[in-house]
Amino acid sequence: MEIHRIEAAIEAILFTMGDSVEAEKIAQAIGHDVATTKKIIHNMMDRYEEENRGIKICELEDSYQMCTKQDLYEYLIKVASQPKKHVLTDVMLETLSIVAYKQPVTRSEIEKIRGVKCDHAVNKLMEYDLITDIGRLDAPGRPLLFGTTEEFLRQFGVTSLEELPMMNTEKQEEFKMEAEEEIQMKLDV
């Protein structure tokens, strides 16, 4: 194997593993003895330093690890500290509201309230760690029960579900009547 291919293999191993990898394991992977492997890695370390690369290979006892140069941490922190922005669509907000106020709630109960399937919204809300499955209903089919998470509380700036705003009962009745009218119109068609 030519030297560029060997170095590429070493880079791939160190990058993928993340943690330190013993020189002996690297040597076995590239088909060389430990002494030759160490020499190749040290040449790579020197070249990374000469080329002023953003990464370096650290030697930790008889192992090696790919690392970021310490003087570049300030750039990593700027990226790492940026919060992920999740966009909540109206459908997702409706679904999240139902879970927040009705929890524990099953998917079929959510769909009954919304009048449409909610698979995508539930999956996205779980992906965003705003809701989670909190058990199973003791009923035929043992459907999953959903509830909100600590991340939900953090994102919405409340310390407990009791802090969620109470819905105006007049508005609640108005919404209920509108929903029933919509259902009736769909049945009439």
Side-chain angles (χ1 to χ4, degrees), residues 88 92-93 96-97 100 125 130 148-160 163-165:
L88 295 178
M92 290 168 63
L93 281 171
L96 184 57
S97 298
L125 291 169
L130 295 174
T148 55
T149 63
E150 286 182 359
E151 183 62 21
F152 166 81
L153 298 175
R154 265 192 295 283
Q155 291 293 323
F156 287 88
V158 293
T159 57
S160 71
E163 290 184 22
L164 291 176

mmCIF file of all heavy atoms in Angstrom, residues 88 92-93 96-97 100 125 130 148-160 163-165:
data_model
loop_
_atom_site.group_PDB
_atom_site.id
_atom_site.type_symbol
_atom_site.label_atom_id
_atom_site.label_comp_id
_atom_site.label_asym_id
_atom_site.label_seq_id
_atom_site.Cartn_x
_atom_site.Cartn_y
_atom_site.Cartn_z
ATOM 1 N N LEU A 88 -41.448 25.067 14.515
ATOM 2 C CA LEU A 88 -42.680 24.364 14.845
ATOM 3 C C LEU A 88 -43.788 24.869 13.930
ATOM 4 O O LEU A 88 -44.164 26.038 13.981
ATOM 5 C CB LEU A 88 -43.064 24.586 16.306
ATOM 6 C CG LEU A 88 -42.106 24.011 17.350
ATOM 7 C CD1 LEU A 88 -42.587 24.341 18.754
ATOM 8 C CD2 LEU A 88 -41.957 22.517 17.187
ATOM 9 N N MET A 92 -47.662 21.052 14.192
ATOM 10 C CA MET A 92 -46.858 20.607 15.329
ATOM 11 C C MET A 92 -47.282 21.331 16.610
ATOM 12 O O MET A 92 -47.348 20.720 17.679
ATOM 13 C CB MET A 92 -45.369 20.803 15.034
ATOM 14 C CG MET A 92 -44.863 19.847 13.970
ATOM 15 S SD MET A 92 -43.221 20.254 13.331
ATOM 16 C CE MET A 92 -42.222 20.072 14.756
ATOM 17 N N LEU A 93 -47.552 22.625 16.507
ATOM 18 C CA LEU A 93 -48.000 23.380 17.682
ATOM 19 C C LEU A 93 -49.350 22.880 18.193
ATOM 20 O O LEU A 93 -49.551 22.758 19.403
ATOM 21 C CB LEU A 93 -48.081 24.873 17.365
ATOM 22 C CG LEU A 93 -46.756 25.621 17.372
ATOM 23 C CD1 LEU A 93 -46.944 27.039 16.832
ATOM 24 C CD2 LEU A 93 -46.151 25.660 18.760
ATOM 25 N N LEU A 96 -48.649 19.556 19.857
ATOM 26 C CA LEU A 96 -47.955 19.781 21.119
ATOM 27 C C LEU A 96 -48.911 20.326 22.180
ATOM 28 O O LEU A 96 -48.841 19.916 23.349
ATOM 29 C CB LEU A 96 -46.784 20.756 20.902
ATOM 30 C CG LEU A 96 -45.896 21.043 22.096
ATOM 31 C CD1 LEU A 96 -45.291 19.765 22.668
ATOM 32 C CD2 LEU A 96 -44.788 22.023 21.697
ATOM 33 N N SER A 97 -49.798 21.213 21.786
ATOM 34 C CA SER A 97 -50.780 21.754 22.725
ATOM 35 C C SER A 97 -51.680 20.653 23.272
ATOM 36 O O SER A 97 -51.965 20.612 24.474
ATOM 37 C CB SER A 97 -51.653 22.814 22.049
ATOM 38 O OG SER A 97 -50.864 23.889 21.635
ATOM 39 N N ALA A 100 -49.652 18.617 25.707
ATOM 40 C CA ALA A 100 -49.382 19.374 26.937
ATOM 41 C C ALA A 100 -50.597 19.435 27.852
ATOM 42 O O ALA A 100 -50.472 19.278 29.067
ATOM 43 C CB ALA A 100 -48.909 20.785 26.593
ATOM 44 N N LEU A 125 -41.921 16.099 16.967
ATOM 45 C CA LEU A 125 -41.908 16.599 18.346
ATOM 46 C C LEU A 125 -41.048 15.701 19.232
ATOM 47 O O LEU A 125 -40.352 16.181 20.129
ATOM 48 C CB LEU A 125 -43.325 16.707 18.897
ATOM 49 C CG LEU A 125 -44.193 17.792 18.257
ATOM 50 C CD1 LEU A 125 -45.647 17.636 18.678
ATOM 51 C CD2 LEU A 125 -43.672 19.184 18.596
ATOM 52 N N LEU A 130 -39.467 17.416 22.595
ATOM 53 C CA LEU A 130 -40.514 18.193 23.256
ATOM 54 C C LEU A 130 -41.572 17.278 23.866
ATOM 55 O O LEU A 130 -42.227 17.638 24.838
ATOM 56 C CB LEU A 130 -41.156 19.174 22.276
ATOM 57 C CG LEU A 130 -40.222 20.271 21.760
ATOM 58 C CD1 LEU A 130 -40.902 21.097 20.675
ATOM 59 C CD2 LEU A 130 -39.743 21.158 22.891
ATOM 60 N N THR A 148 -45.164 15.579 27.763
ATOM 61 C CA THR A 148 -44.126 16.563 27.472
ATOM 62 C C THR A 148 -42.856 16.232 28.257
ATOM 63 O O THR A 148 -42.865 15.443 29.191
ATOM 64 C CB THR A 148 -44.598 17.984 27.825
ATOM 65 O OG1 THR A 148 -45.026 17.986 29.187
ATOM 66 C CG2 THR A 148 -45.742 18.419 26.917
ATOM 67 N N THR A 149 -41.764 16.861 27.868
ATOM 68 C CA THR A 149 -40.453 16.619 28.466
ATOM 69 C C THR A 149 -39.959 17.854 29.223
ATOM 70 O O THR A 149 -40.575 18.919 29.149
ATOM 71 C CB THR A 149 -39.429 16.307 27.359
ATOM 72 O OG1 THR A 149 -39.312 17.466 26.512
ATOM 73 C CG2 THR A 149 -39.836 15.097 26.529
ATOM 74 N N GLU A 150 -38.826 17.696 29.883
ATOM 75 C CA GLU A 150 -38.185 18.851 30.523
ATOM 76 C C GLU A 150 -37.783 19.880 29.474
ATOM 77 O O GLU A 150 -37.826 21.080 29.720
ATOM 78 C CB GLU A 150 -36.963 18.414 31.324
ATOM 79 C CG GLU A 150 -37.294 17.699 32.607
ATOM 80 C CD GLU A 150 -36.057 17.329 33.407
ATOM 81 O OE1 GLU A 150 -34.918 17.601 32.957
ATOM 82 O OE2 GLU A 150 -36.232 16.772 34.498
ATOM 83 N N GLU A 151 -37.378 19.399 28.306
ATOM 84 C CA GLU A 151 -36.997 20.316 27.220
ATOM 85 C C GLU A 151 -38.194 21.188 26.815
ATOM 86 O O GLU A 151 -38.036 22.360 26.506
ATOM 87 C CB GLU A 151 -36.474 19.529 26.019
ATOM 88 C CG GLU A 151 -35.981 20.387 24.880
ATOM 89 C CD GLU A 151 -34.801 21.286 25.241
ATOM 90 O OE1 GLU A 151 -34.077 21.011 26.223
ATOM 91 O OE2 GLU A 151 -34.590 22.277 24.526
ATOM 92 N N PHE A 152 -39.384 20.617 26.829
ATOM 93 C CA PHE A 152 -40.604 21.391 26.552
ATOM 94 C C PHE A 152 -40.717 22.544 27.539
ATOM 95 O O PHE A 152 -40.960 23.685 27.156
ATOM 96 C CB PHE A 152 -41.834 20.478 26.639
ATOM 97 C CG PHE A 152 -43.141 21.224 26.700
ATOM 98 C CD1 PHE A 152 -43.731 21.709 25.552
ATOM 99 C CD2 PHE A 152 -43.775 21.445 27.916
ATOM 100 C CE1 PHE A 152 -44.941 22.406 25.612
ATOM 101 C CE2 PHE A 152 -44.973 22.127 27.987
ATOM 102 C CZ PHE A 152 -45.552 22.614 26.826
ATOM 103 N N LEU A 153 -40.546 22.232 28.832
ATOM 104 C CA LEU A 153 -40.637 23.273 29.861
ATOM 105 C C LEU A 153 -39.590 24.353 29.630
ATOM 106 O O LEU A 153 -39.883 25.547 29.713
ATOM 107 C CB LEU A 153 -40.467 22.659 31.256
ATOM 108 C CG LEU A 153 -41.519 21.629 31.680
ATOM 109 C CD1 LEU A 153 -41.139 21.027 33.032
ATOM 110 C CD2 LEU A 153 -42.904 22.234 31.709
ATOM 111 N N ARG A 154 -38.346 23.925 29.317
ATOM 112 C CA ARG A 154 -37.267 24.887 29.057
ATOM 113 C C ARG A 154 -37.615 25.777 27.872
ATOM 114 O O ARG A 154 -37.475 26.992 27.928
ATOM 115 C CB ARG A 154 -35.954 24.146 28.775
ATOM 116 C CG ARG A 154 -35.069 23.973 29.961
ATOM 117 C CD ARG A 154 -33.671 23.507 29.572
ATOM 118 N NE ARG A 154 -33.632 22.177 28.988
ATOM 119 C CZ ARG A 154 -33.722 21.044 29.672
ATOM 120 N NH1 ARG A 154 -33.882 21.062 30.968
ATOM 121 N NH2 ARG A 154 -33.665 19.878 29.054
ATOM 122 N N GLN A 155 -38.030 25.159 26.779
ATOM 123 C CA GLN A 155 -38.302 25.917 25.553
ATOM 124 C C GLN A 155 -39.444 26.921 25.715
ATOM 125 O O GLN A 155 -39.439 27.976 25.100
ATOM 126 C CB GLN A 155 -38.621 24.959 24.398
ATOM 127 C CG GLN A 155 -37.442 24.138 23.936
ATOM 128 C CD GLN A 155 -36.362 24.978 23.296
ATOM 129 O OE1 GLN A 155 -36.631 25.952 22.594
ATOM 130 N NE2 GLN A 155 -35.124 24.626 23.552
ATOM 131 N N PHE A 156 -40.419 26.566 26.558
ATOM 132 C CA PHE A 156 -41.572 27.447 26.720
ATOM 133 C C PHE A 156 -41.492 28.290 27.985
ATOM 134 O O PHE A 156 -42.433 28.995 28.327
ATOM 135 C CB PHE A 156 -42.870 26.639 26.633
ATOM 136 C CG PHE A 156 -43.146 26.196 25.221
ATOM 137 C CD1 PHE A 156 -42.634 25.001 24.745
ATOM 138 C CD2 PHE A 156 -43.850 27.007 24.358
ATOM 139 C CE1 PHE A 156 -42.845 24.613 23.428
ATOM 140 C CE2 PHE A 156 -44.069 26.631 23.048
ATOM 141 C CZ PHE A 156 -43.558 25.426 22.579
ATOM 142 N N GLY A 157 -40.357 28.222 28.678
ATOM 143 C CA GLY A 157 -40.105 29.108 29.804
ATOM 144 C C GLY A 157 -41.011 28.894 30.999
ATOM 145 O O GLY A 157 -41.356 29.861 31.679
ATOM 146 N N VAL A 158 -41.395 27.655 31.261
ATOM 147 C CA VAL A 158 -42.208 27.354 32.436
ATOM 148 C C VAL A 158 -41.488 26.293 33.271
ATOM 149 O O VAL A 158 -40.717 25.500 32.748
ATOM 150 C CB VAL A 158 -43.631 26.860 32.064
ATOM 151 C CG1 VAL A 158 -44.423 27.964 31.406
ATOM 152 C CG2 VAL A 158 -43.596 25.643 31.167
ATOM 153 N N THR A 159 -41.742 26.322 34.571
ATOM 154 C CA THR A 159 -41.078 25.352 35.436
ATOM 155 C C THR A 159 -41.925 24.114 35.679
ATOM 156 O O THR A 159 -41.414 23.093 36.108
ATOM 157 C CB THR A 159 -40.712 25.982 36.795
ATOM 158 O OG1 THR A 159 -41.907 26.486 37.389
ATOM 159 C CG2 THR A 159 -39.698 27.094 36.616
ATOM 160 N N SER A 160 -43.233 24.229 35.412
ATOM 161 C CA SER A 160 -44.109 23.065 35.560
ATOM 162 C C SER A 160 -45.321 23.246 34.658
ATOM 163 O O SER A 160 -45.613 24.355 34.187
ATOM 164 C CB SER A 160 -44.562 22.890 37.009
ATOM 165 O OG SER A 160 -45.482 23.898 37.349
ATOM 166 N N GLU A 163 -47.999 25.949 35.225
ATOM 167 C CA GLU A 163 -47.788 27.330 34.773
ATOM 168 C C GLU A 163 -48.334 27.587 33.373
ATOM 169 O O GLU A 163 -48.338 28.726 32.915
ATOM 170 C CB GLU A 163 -46.302 27.679 34.805
ATOM 171 C CG GLU A 163 -45.738 27.793 36.200
ATOM 172 C CD GLU A 163 -44.280 28.228 36.188
ATOM 173 O OE1 GLU A 163 -43.818 28.830 35.202
ATOM 174 O OE2 GLU A 163 -43.599 27.933 37.176
ATOM 175 N N LEU A 164 -48.770 26.530 32.684
ATOM 176 C CA LEU A 164 -49.341 26.738 31.351
ATOM 177 C C LEU A 164 -50.605 27.571 31.488
ATOM 178 O O LEU A 164 -51.362 27.399 32.439
ATOM 179 C CB LEU A 164 -49.667 25.399 30.690
ATOM 180 C CG LEU A 164 -48.472 24.540 30.283
ATOM 181 C CD1 LEU A 164 -48.958 23.202 29.736
ATOM 182 C CD2 LEU A 164 -47.610 25.250 29.265
ATOM 183 N N PRO A 165 -50.844 28.462 30.548
ATOM 184 C CA PRO A 165 -52.038 29.308 30.656
ATOM 185 C C PRO A 165 -53.315 28.472 30.578
ATOM 186 O O PRO A 165 -53.390 27.502 29.834
ATOM 187 C CB PRO A 165 -51.918 30.256 29.456
ATOM 188 C CG PRO A 165 -50.894 29.673 28.569
ATOM 189 C CD PRO A 165 -50.064 28.737 29.369
#
